[in-house]
Amino acid sequence: MSNLPTDRNNNSVTPFNFFNLFDQLENMVINSFQSALAPINNTAFEDKGNEYVFTLTLKNLKREDIQLNVENQQLILTIHQSLNTTEDSFQSYQSQSFSQAFSLYDVDVDQITATLKDDTLTIILPKLETVVLNRRTIDIK
């Protein structure tokens, strides 16, 4: 006897559709990427004239989840959140990471401040007093 699925009413064989399997896998991948990128929708970056203000709001954001580094004229913000849940015989573990880099070419690196209040991280990036851009047009011969 065949192991192929059949329709109970007329006993016809229903072929296995590999495309449905690929669609299901694709949906799983897309959903995982969307959840990983969810923090991007909760951010704002504003130029206030004499400073830049970056805000990120993320549920259950804690100080120990946040890492701020300055490297090679860039501010690198990394957030890693983990959640363990245990209910009776069920245990769940979720992890989410987010990283963003900002150019600091016109920022006073020594004056950068960050605060965390009510799940919202605010980073103040004061601008340098004067920024001299070394720019010129080169004639093509």
Side-chain angles (χ1 to χ4, degrees):
M1 176 142 221
S2 171
N3 288 333
L4 293 174
T6 61
D7 184 350
R8 292 177 191 231
N9 294 334
N10 63 11
N11 291 331
S12 65
V13 175
T14 306
F16 181 73
N17 188 341
F18 283 102
F19 293 109
N20 287 342
L21 177 63
F22 287 122
D23 286 343
Q24 290 172 359
L25 289 172
E26 181 183 29
N27 288 336
M28 286 172 41
V29 169
I30 288 171
N31 289 337
S32 66
F33 276 123
Q34 286 175 342
S35 64
L37 297 175
I40 292 175
N41 296 328
N42 302 326
T43 62
F45 191 83
E46 298 178 72
D47 184 345
K48 298 278 189 170
N50 61 343
E51 65 188 12
Y52 299 107
V53 178
F54 174 79
T55 57
L56 171 106
T57 303
L58 193 59
K59 187 176 178 180
N60 299 319
L61 188 60
K62 299 178 193 119
R63 281 179 176 69
E64 57 268 16
D65 298 336
I66 305 167
Q67 184 176 9
L68 278 171
N69 295 312
V70 175
E71 284 180 32
N72 300 324
Q73 287 301 106
Q74 287 192 329
L75 175 70
I76 301 166
L77 165 66
T78 304
I79 296 175
H80 181 80
Q81 289 183 306
S82 298
L83 177 64
N84 286 325
T85 307
T86 304
E87 295 178 15
D88 298 331
S89 63
F90 178 74
Q91 186 171 1
S92 172
Y93 176 78
Q94 293 178 337
S95 178
Q96 176 175 311
S97 292
F98 170 80
S99 187
Q100 179 94 30
F102 304 94
S103 175
L104 300 176
Y105 78 95
D106 64 341
V107 172
D108 186 349
V109 176
D110 296 326
Q111 300 301 317
I112 296 173
T113 60
T115 57
L116 179 64
K117 184 177 180 184
D118 299 327
D119 296 334
T120 298
L121 173 67
T122 303
I123 304 171
I124 307 294
L125 304 144
K127 292 183 181 179
L128 291 170
E129 290 297 320
T130 58
V131 175
V132 177
L133 295 178
N134 209 0
R135 185 181 292 172
R136 67 183 180 103
T137 302
I138 301 172
D139 291 331
I140 302 172
K141 297 179 184 181

